[in-house]
Amino acid sequence: MSLAGPWPASGGLPEPTGVKRKEREQWLQVVVEEKLEVGAADLVAPVDVRIETFLSEHLAEVRGGKLVKFPKMLSLDRYGMARKLSLPRDSDTYTSPLIKSFRCHNGVLHNPVHDKRTTAGVFHVAEGGYPIADDKKAVPLAVFSKLLDAALTPKQADLELPFTMNDDSPQNAWVKVLLRPLVCPEVPGFASEKRMEVRFMAPGSMVANVDFVESVFGNAGEASFPENNAALDVEHWSGHTGCIILAPQLLFLLKRDVGLPHWDEATERQRCDGMAWKDAQEHYNDGSAFKICVRSSSGVFVTLIADNYFGYCKKEVKTQLSFACNLFGTEEEHAGGALAFASISWGSTFHEDHRVWRPNHHFEGRALAKPYVFSEALHLLQDEVCLCPEGYAVDLEFSDIIYVPEDAIASTATGRVSWKGGEVSLVPGFVYIHPSGYQFSLKKRLDKRGWHICGTVAEPLNFHKPATVSGGGKSEVSKLLSDAITSGTVRIDNVKRDLAYVDMILKRDYSDRYQHPADPEFPLLDPRRTDGSIVKLLNPSDEYTEEYNCWLETIPPVIRSLVFLVKRYYRPSWGRDWKSHFSVMSVDGRDGDVAYVNGERVSVQYLRVGRENAQGGRQGRARMFQLRHDFVPAQKIQTEDDISASIVVPRTALKHLNVEEVMNHSVKFAQNCELRLFQRPDNAVVRGADTTSEEDMAGEGTFMSNFEPLTGQQARELSKHAVQFDEFTEPMQKRIRMAAEDATDKYVVSSANFRMVGGSPTANPRYLQVRTDFREPRARRIAHVAACMRRRVPASSAVHFPIGGVIPGRRNNPPDQLADGTPIRPLSVFSPIHYQELPELFMDLICSVTGRSPSTTGAGSEGALTKGPFNALTYIADLNAALVGFILTGYAGFTSAAGYIGKRRVDHDVSLLVPEVWCRMSEVERDPAYLIRTGCLEKVEDMEIAGKRVLASRLGYRITRRFVNRFLGRIFESPAEVFDAPLLRPELQDVAMFVDGVNNLLEAQEKAASSYIADGSIDDACPPLRAVLFCMAKGCTPEGHTICSPEVRALFEREHLMSSAWYHERLRAKQRQEVKRLSKGVEALREFLKIGSESTVDRLGIRERLRAAEEQLSIAPSEGFFESLVGTTGAEPALEHSGGKK
């Protein structure tokens, strides 16, 4: 992944504020006025020519030679112009039959006529070219041609530009924008960034949709300028072109008029797809929203959307992006992700010890071969820092990043960071970096009571959550845990008695606790004894004797908590007199029950993990668990959320990797394709419950949809209700007050006031959130320099952060029913974390079955891996690429649970917790073989129920109590209580429900796999995928091998893949595709040399580009280039030609 800033600059990120924002708004006003004065120009944009040429050639037979020609359009070549045009210049509101728009204090609010849409029956594909999947509707090419003509001739009212609607001479026009979505992430030293081009067109009244898509994907500038001609940028153009045309008027067309046959003359598929009519007045698609596309192996993809719903626009860019990735040889993934940096609290003092050297604080790892010293760090940082006379260095990019020597000691008592020969102030908000790249800083505790020093490791875990179903926790990966943490006090019921009990525990001899003899250990208060070892010591384990475990059960929770408290605060200078440092306050002449240490009140933190079962229809109580005193939530940098592009790279092609953690032969890099995320802040309806959304929506320039516009009077009324108003966070309170005090009575949007639809708040409120990694350049800077220092490479080097943890998410539910009473079978058979070997994992991913969630209308197979509702190809290409990637990288297939575990409700609590656990584990500890060998994973065995075999083994392995004690013990004081036996083994809750859930899963797998056999697409499946599909559908392959057969398991081995003919053919397909791409690029550059002016040729370096492209083209057909592809996923041979396999 890249830690670079946003692309492109014209995408408008980050948003300016204050005076700069006002200046930009004034400049945009001038630009818009000039654009309208000139009107729709005749400038020829190469991207438009490519699209028109494709359509004219592809439709030539059905159009009788009639060429396709787009109408003149206003080209919106700067980010923000579309927003200006979406509202009248002299009014804060715009209303049309399709949308209601409002200019607000905190941005713009656009409420489409429909607050949400379904994907069912929406996707239509024109016949010709690639095969059409069974779940899509096939449309004759001649019908598409007529729909295209209708799309390009809307009514004049649809072309109305909101900006000029109140002018004496209102203007009607088409508007268009150029997008350049990411197809291939940049991997320095291996691959340049590749982007496709997408032309988005809309009638003027729908310019808000243009604002939306350019806010999400960026504005790539004026397409007629040679600087923005993708064909001339051979290094960065993937070779693919998309076009999206909004045309809601298509909803009113009749089936007969667009050329669909009468029912009696229709084929069976046409009848099944509704592409025939019985009544001459039947509307196309029954008058419901739809999209229809045409695409071919030329790499051009054109879509008409008969609606103005914002989600459709974003998802269609995703669809075209997925198409380009499949043809190019990368993956477009439905994923979430984050860089997670393990953090701890050092309390009042920081100094170099084993926690600084280890990759994640806890794991012993290898001995430090060479110490990290300040002189070496300065050499690596070179001219990127300024060395101060006191002996520390200041970062030249961010002056609050301080580099300190290896012997630095930080103290909250002195407020200084000192070392031999110098010191510097310990300032809140500053980050201090040790020569190893380890960071520490002074922060307020989460309960705001007192300060502590927080430490963060240099190397993060790149956490990737792919193929995650709706409600499976995709977004939770990047969310901070701090919002879910609450604080409380440490209780002492009786000071003398309780401290005596603690003293007994501290002095006890623990040498007899193991079932087998163990080496002597340090006393509990010995500084060499870690907090983690105490947590492990005082929690039951199957490694301990039965007598010892029984003794542990007798320790009251309050006593166990006090032991951890004493260990946390103990100082060697106290000696044996530690009790005098612990006390309670005197209340009404009696001892209170709140613990104090050295006169300071002590607080503890609690994290919710699930809820108790509800009683009487009420929501069950939260299950709260005390966190370790040294626990601090991991720092995170968001890397993915919904639309990602990824590439697999051989490890040997990369320099400066983290050799401590990266052991895979190939690694994957994934990058978010969006600049802003279309968030649904469900929890914001409760004031103060979603602090991030309130802060975002209280800012300036936010794009919002499906909220209520509040007038100034309504804002004043809202602010008068002090109790309710005070529940908002400070940013939202401030924004509403500003609106209430504004004499212009301008609208404002409150995050808690969802749009009312049919008398009820909508379930689909939305706003565009600027990606958090773009808003935190300092965090990106720290991540980069820390990694360079840890890896001992110059700070000017490109450092890689390949994916290190892959954990898809499942949505589970107990028996339920839809609103109409339709029953939903249980799907809550998974424990918190499962591991499945690759064959079983892919059975799950192919099926992508999901339980009911707030974001879904039901349950069933969803297509999270294949992106079913957003994939214009048959799904085999996605499955092949994903499977090859898994085999090459060797990433282990863990999955996490969301919703329910058995009957126990967990919501997204496990989804939030897993990144915290995973980033505190080492590469060795995350290895399934290690976890199985050490008893941290247990295999789920088949069951015999009522004489019938239940194939529970399909669930793979699940975590055990030993896993919980060891790894959750790095977070919680009593980890065994967090995931008890019924959570680890859901069948203990209700065996009948468990059996039905397993059968439900197996039946869904069988149904999903059978469709690939029925439509013949299994013929394009690679051998391991083919075997899995047959085993899912039939129980065995045509050769009689089951999923457990050695012949099938061998297909999933990396060595088998690397030597296979089919894998080599994937590499040859990629090689041929690259030759084709470079050839087109060389041709385009040579042509431009003939027609371009000399000044433009020189300015753009066309000759240099041509020489570079010709050199690459000379290498691409060689065996050396082929060898460089070994370890990558190659490309799908079946997609080289529109008819499938050659």
Side-chain angles (χ1 to χ4, degrees):
M1 62 152 296
S2 170
L3 288 179
W7 181 99
S10 55
L13 295 175
E15 284 282 8
T17 58
V19 175
K20 288 185 178 181
R21 181 175 182 83
K22 291 181 180 178
E23 291 175 351
R24 185 174 185 275
E25 288 294 318
Q26 293 169 357
W27 169 76
L28 268 177
Q29 184 81 16
V30 173
V31 170
V32 168
E33 297 284 5
E34 290 176 349
K35 177 70 71 170
L36 291 173
E37 186 176 346
V38 174
D42 286 322
L43 295 174
V44 177
V47 60
D48 296 338
V49 173
R50 284 189 277 274
I51 299 166
E52 290 174 339
T53 301
F54 163 75
L55 288 171
S56 296
E57 293 176 353
H58 197 75
L59 303 175
E61 187 175 336
V62 298
R63 294 178 69 87
K66 179 184 175 184
L67 299 180
V68 174
K69 190 70 177 175
F70 293 137
K72 292 182 181 180
M73 300 184 186
L74 283 177
S75 176
L76 306 186
D77 54 0
R78 293 174 178 83
Y79 177 74
M81 292 177 66
R83 184 162 301 183
K84 277 287 181 185
L85 291 170
S86 68
L87 284 156
R89 72 171 90 225
D90 57 357
S91 173
D92 290 335
T93 62
Y94 172 72
T95 301
S96 78
L98 293 173
I99 198 168
K100 290 184 178 180
S101 302
F102 306 86
R103 184 180 288 112
C104 306
H105 276 276
N106 40 347
V108 291
L109 171 64
H110 297 292
N111 289 338
V113 63
H114 299 289
D115 66 320
K116 56 185 176 181
R117 282 298 203 183
T118 179
T119 58
V122 166
F123 207 152
H124 302 187
V125 181
E127 295 170 346
Y130 293 117
I132 300 172
D134 285 347
D135 63 343
K136 307 299 188 297
K137 295 189 175 186
V139 182
L141 200 59
V143 173
F144 174 84
S145 179
K146 291 188 177 182
L147 291 171
L148 174 64
D149 287 339
L152 295 176
T153 53
K155 296 177 180 178
Q156 285 301 302
D158 293 336
L159 296 171
E160 174 187 67
L161 282 174
F163 186 76
T164 67
M165 65 173 293
N166 296 329
D167 291 1
D168 293 335
S169 300
Q171 293 193 35
N172 295 343
W174 278 87
V175 290
K176 61 183 177 180
V177 68
L178 179 64
L179 313 174
R180 293 294 305 276
L182 181 72
V183 171
C184 176
E186 178 188 16
V187 181
F190 184 80
S192 299
E193 179 183 86
K194 300 291 189 298
R195 293 178 178 273
M196 69 179 300
E197 57 181 359
V198 175
R199 184 59 117 174
F200 191 93
M201 305 174 178
S205 64
M206 295 162 226
V207 68
N209 293 77
V210 178
D211 178 19
F212 173 76
V213 294
E214 72 169 2
S215 294
V216 174
F217 297 103
N219 184 315
E222 175 51 57
S224 63
F225 293 173
E227 290 90 339
N228 299 322
N229 182 356
L232 301 181
D233 187 8
V234 182
E235 184 179 1
H236 300 108
W237 186 35
S238 67
H240 307 99
T241 300
C243 178
I244 301 170
I245 304 172
L246 293 192
Q249 70 270 23
L250 300 184
L251 296 177
F252 303 101
L253 297 180
L254 302 179
K255 290 181 178 180
R256 182 188 62 178
D257 293 342
V258 296
L260 286 175
H262 186 273
W263 186 266
D264 296 338
E265 300 170 354
T267 65
E268 188 59 36
R269 175 154 192 175
Q270 286 175 329
R271 292 176 180 178
C272 180
D273 289 347
M275 294 297 155
W277 53 273
K278 295 179 180 177
D279 186 334
Q281 297 305 308
E282 288 181 36
H283 284 88
Y284 184 86
N285 203 46
D286 299 323
S288 298
F290 69 93
K291 64 175 183 177
I292 181 170
C293 74
V294 62
R295 72 280 188 272
S296 81
S297 57
S298 65
V300 183
F301 189 127
V302 179
T303 305
L304 315 177
I305 302 180
D307 202 80
N308 71 323
Y309 179 58
F310 295 119
Y312 281 170
C313 299
K314 171 189 163 180
K315 292 299 187 182
E316 191 53 29
V317 177
K318 172 187 173 76
T319 301
Q320 298 193 353
L321 179 58
S322 177
F323 172 80
C325 288
N326 270 319
L327 268 61
F328 186 77
T330 52
E331 290 183 76
E332 185 274 313
E333 301 195 54
H334 187 68
L339 295 180
F341 298 79
S343 301
I344 62 167
S345 170
W346 286 78
S348 59
T349 306
F350 166 86
H351 61 278
E352 182 187 63
D353 67 12
H354 63 274
R355 289 170 290 181
V356 173
W357 308 327
R358 293 175 182 174
N360 59 7
H361 295 123
H362 302 280
F363 179 64
E364 289 76 6
R366 294 177 289 276
L368 192 64
K370 178 184 175 183
Y372 290 94
V373 295
F374 191 53
S375 58
E376 181 188 22
L378 290 177
H379 176 71
L380 297 175
L381 294 166
Q382 297 177 351
D383 56 356
E384 296 189 17
V385 300
C386 175
L387 181 63
C388 298
E390 295 84 353
Y392 66 93
V394 179
D395 193 90
L396 292 181
E397 188 174 348
F398 295 93
S399 60
D400 53 3
I401 299 177
I402 308 296
Y403 302 90
V404 296
E406 65 275 11
D407 59 341
I409 298 175
S411 169
T412 59
T414 64
R416 312 291 291 176
V417 183
S418 57
W419 54 90
K420 185 178 180 179
E423 64 176 11
V424 66
S425 296
L426 180 63
V427 181
F430 278 51
V431 173
Y432 303 83
I433 303 183
H434 182 271
S436 66
Y438 190 90
Q439 314 141 44
F440 63 92
S441 55
L442 179 64
K443 294 184 178 180
K444 265 205 166 183
R445 296 184 181 274
L446 289 179
D447 64 353
K448 307 302 180 186
R449 299 177 64 87
W451 297 79
H452 64 156
I453 297 173
C454 296
T456 301
V457 297
E459 292 281 5
L461 172 68
N462 192 344
F463 199 88
H464 180 55
K465 203 171 188 67
T468 296
V469 299
S470 297
K474 171 173 55 63
S475 298
E476 277 64 31
V477 173
S478 56
K479 291 182 179 178
L480 295 177
L481 197 69
S482 52
D483 282 350
I485 294 175
T486 58
S487 300
T489 57
V490 177
R491 198 176 90 241
I492 299 182
D493 293 331
N494 182 298
V495 177
K496 186 175 182 179
R497 182 194 65 201
D498 290 354
L499 294 185
Y501 200 149
V502 170
D503 193 45
M504 180 271 291
I505 292 175
L506 295 176
K507 293 177 178 177
R508 187 189 190 279
D509 179 10
Y510 292 93
S511 60
D512 63 341
R513 74 182 188 277
Y514 286 107
Q515 296 181 20
H516 305 286
D519 296 332
E521 298 175 313
F522 298 116
L524 270 63
L525 294 182
D526 191 297
R528 292 167 292 183
R529 190 77 187 246
T530 66
D531 290 357
S533 71
I534 308 299
V535 171
K536 183 177 179 182
L537 180 76
L538 296 182
N539 279 277
S541 170
D542 52 13
E543 299 176 270
Y544 300 155
T545 64
E546 184 177 349
E547 292 79 10
Y548 182 75
N549 281 331
C550 290
W551 176 75
L552 289 177
E553 297 291 345
T554 67
I555 302 176
V558 64
I559 301 299
R560 182 185 284 108
S561 181
L562 283 174
V563 173
F564 296 132
L565 184 70
V566 172
K567 173 63 179 176
R568 177 64 176 153
Y569 284 94
Y570 179 78
R571 297 291 176 267
S573 59
W574 295 358
R576 296 181 180 179
D577 183 29
W578 59 267
K579 295 181 185 177
S580 64
H581 296 269
F582 293 81
S583 62
V584 294
M585 181 183 289
S586 177
V587 180
D588 294 334
R590 300 179 182 180
D591 284 345
D593 60 359
V594 176
Y596 284 74
V597 178
N598 292 329
E600 295 280 337
R601 182 176 175 177
V602 179
S603 65
V604 291
Q605 298 171 343
Y606 300 92
L607 179 67
R608 188 192 81 181
V609 184
R611 293 185 178 276
E612 296 177 355
N613 289 337
Q615 301 292 332
R618 293 176 297 177
Q619 180 170 270
R621 291 189 306 172
R623 300 178 70 238
M624 307 298 295
F625 299 94
Q626 186 171 325
L627 296 165
R628 280 176 47 157
H629 290 278
D630 63 348
F631 175 79
V632 173
Q635 292 190 22
K636 294 180 181 178
I637 298 178
Q638 183 186 56
T639 56
E640 304 175 79
D641 193 338
D642 194 13
I643 306 177
S644 299
S646 66
I647 183 174
V648 171
V649 178
R651 184 179 186 272
T652 54
L654 303 173
K655 294 180 180 179
H656 310 319
L657 281 173
N658 175 12
V659 295
E660 294 177 304
E661 292 288 288
V662 181
M663 303 177 186
N664 315 71
H665 291 290
S666 294
V667 292
K668 176 177 277 193
F669 294 89
Q671 186 173 328
N672 202 329
C673 299
E674 301 168 84
L675 304 181
R676 291 177 177 82
L677 310 172
F678 202 30
Q679 300 288 29
R680 190 185 62 232
D682 300 314
N683 294 333
V685 71
V686 179
R687 296 165 183 170
D690 189 339
T691 58
T692 300
S693 294
E694 289 197 15
E695 181 178 0
D696 291 340
M697 294 181 64
E700 295 181 315
T702 306
F703 185 104
M704 298 164 286
S705 183
N706 290 335
F707 286 88
E708 284 292 317
L710 303 182
T711 63
Q713 179 59 35
Q714 288 173 311
R716 287 186 283 275
E717 288 297 323
L718 185 60
S719 60
K720 287 179 182 178
H721 297 279
V723 175
Q724 293 86 351
F725 188 70
D726 192 55
E727 294 172 350
F728 282 117
T729 58
E730 182 57 35
M732 184 53 69
Q733 289 185 36
K734 183 178 178 181
R735 174 58 64 189
I736 295 173
R737 285 197 196 98
M738 288 177 61
E741 295 166 2
D742 188 354
T744 64
D745 205 33
K746 194 173 182 178
Y747 292 100
V748 69
V749 172
S750 155
S751 54
N753 289 73
F754 295 0
R755 174 185 178 186
M756 300 301 292
V757 179
S760 301
T762 180
N764 193 33
R766 295 279 185 170
Y767 78 97
L768 285 178
Q769 176 194 50
V770 177
R771 274 169 48 185
T772 56
D773 54 323
F774 286 169
R775 294 184 298 184
E776 299 171 356
R778 189 182 76 148
R780 298 200 306 271
R781 169 66 178 170
I782 293 171
H784 175 82
V785 295
C788 289
M789 295 168 74
R790 179 77 182 187
R791 301 177 196 181
R792 305 182 194 268
V793 300
S796 58
S797 305
V799 292
H800 302 285
F801 296 95
I803 287 167
V806 179
I807 304 191
R810 292 189 176 93
R811 183 74 190 188
N812 306 324
N813 64 267
D816 201 352
Q817 64 179 25
L818 298 175
D820 62 3
T822 303
I824 298 177
R825 292 175 64 185
L827 188 71
S828 47
V829 296
F830 299 100
S831 71
I833 303 172
H834 270 248
Y835 162 70
Q836 291 167 298
E837 293 177 336
L838 201 47
E840 287 75 21
L841 175 68
F842 247 72
M843 288 182 169
D844 262 4
L845 296 182
I846 290 167
C847 178
S848 291
V849 68
T850 178
R852 191 180 187 189
S853 79
S855 57
T856 58
T857 55
S861 188
E862 184 181 79
L865 174 61
T866 60
K867 303 158 306 258
F870 317 110
N871 193 337
L873 299 167
T874 55
Y875 307 143
I876 286 294
D878 294 88
L879 296 176
N880 280 339
L883 180 53
V884 171
F886 264 103
I887 295 174
L888 288 171
T889 59
Y891 289 136
F894 290 91
T895 49
S896 63
Y900 286 81
I901 297 174
K903 296 179 178 180
R904 303 265 288 271
R905 180 178 165 186
V906 295
D907 296 329
H908 282 306
D909 297 348
V910 176
S911 306
L912 283 165
L913 179 61
V914 167
E916 297 287 346
V917 176
W918 237 243
C919 74
R920 288 169 169 79
M921 298 169 68
S922 71
E923 174 75 11
V924 171
E925 292 172 321
R926 295 192 296 267
D927 182 357
Y930 170 86
L931 294 172
I932 293 170
R933 185 173 66 251
T934 56
C936 292
L937 287 174
E938 67 173 5
K939 185 172 178 57
V940 184
E941 301 292 350
D942 291 342
M943 305 168 64
E944 192 79 22
I945 302 293
K948 293 184 178 180
R949 188 183 180 198
V950 180
L951 296 178
S953 58
R954 288 276 179 94
L955 305 179
Y957 296 77
R958 55 192 178 190
I959 59 172
T960 64
R961 186 168 75 166
R962 185 173 293 188
F963 179 100
V964 171
N965 283 337
R966 180 167 184 178
F967 300 116
L968 269 69
R970 297 173 180 178
I971 297 174
F972 298 97
E973 288 193 349
S974 300
E977 304 298 326
V978 179
F979 293 143
D980 55 19
L983 283 174
L984 296 176
R985 297 178 175 179
E987 67 270 23
L988 298 179
Q989 299 179 41
D990 188 326
V991 68
M993 187 182 79
F994 180 82
V995 169
D996 191 26
V998 171
N999 289 334
N1000 184 15
L1001 176 63
L1002 295 177
E1003 290 164 20
Q1005 291 181 354
E1006 178 183 349
K1007 180 180 178 182
S1010 296
S1011 66
Y1012 293 93
I1013 299 174
D1015 67 11
S1017 59
I1018 195 171
D1019 294 339
D1020 288 331
C1022 63
L1025 178 59
R1026 175 181 178 274
V1028 164
L1029 290 171
F1030 271 115
C1031 289
M1032 291 169 67
K1034 307 291 186 181
C1036 66
T1037 67
E1039 298 78 21
H1041 301 140
T1042 69
I1043 198 67
C1044 298
S1045 298
E1047 293 84 354
V1048 171
R1049 308 306 280 195
L1051 296 175
F1052 293 83
E1053 297 296 330
R1054 190 175 191 274
E1055 295 73 17
H1056 187 281
L1057 175 142
M1058 297 289 282
S1059 61
S1060 66
W1062 65 267
Y1063 174 63
H1064 285 195
E1065 179 56 23
R1066 288 187 66 89
L1067 301 185
R1068 291 295 181 193
K1070 176 60 182 176
Q1071 184 177 35
R1072 291 189 294 269
Q1073 178 243 81
E1074 190 65 6
V1075 170
K1076 179 180 176 181
R1077 187 185 71 84
L1078 289 169
S1079 297
K1080 287 172 60 178
V1082 167
E1083 181 183 349
L1085 289 167
R1086 288 173 177 170
E1087 181 63 25
F1088 190 80
L1089 273 177
K1090 297 176 183 177
I1091 63 174
S1093 67
E1094 193 64 26
S1095 61
T1096 303
V1097 167
D1098 290 341
R1099 177 167 51 85
L1100 298 181
I1102 296 298
R1103 293 183 180 87
E1104 292 78 8
R1105 293 187 190 186
L1106 178 58
R1107 281 195 292 271
E1110 288 175 335
E1111 182 180 353
Q1112 293 175 30
L1113 182 57
S1114 69
I1115 296 172
S1118 69
E1119 284 303 305
F1121 181 80
F1122 175 84
E1123 290 298 324
S1124 72
L1125 296 175
V1126 175
T1128 72
T1129 57
E1132 179 58 56
L1135 297 179
E1136 287 189 272
H1137 306 277
S1138 297
K1141 284 187 175 178
K1142 187 175 180 181

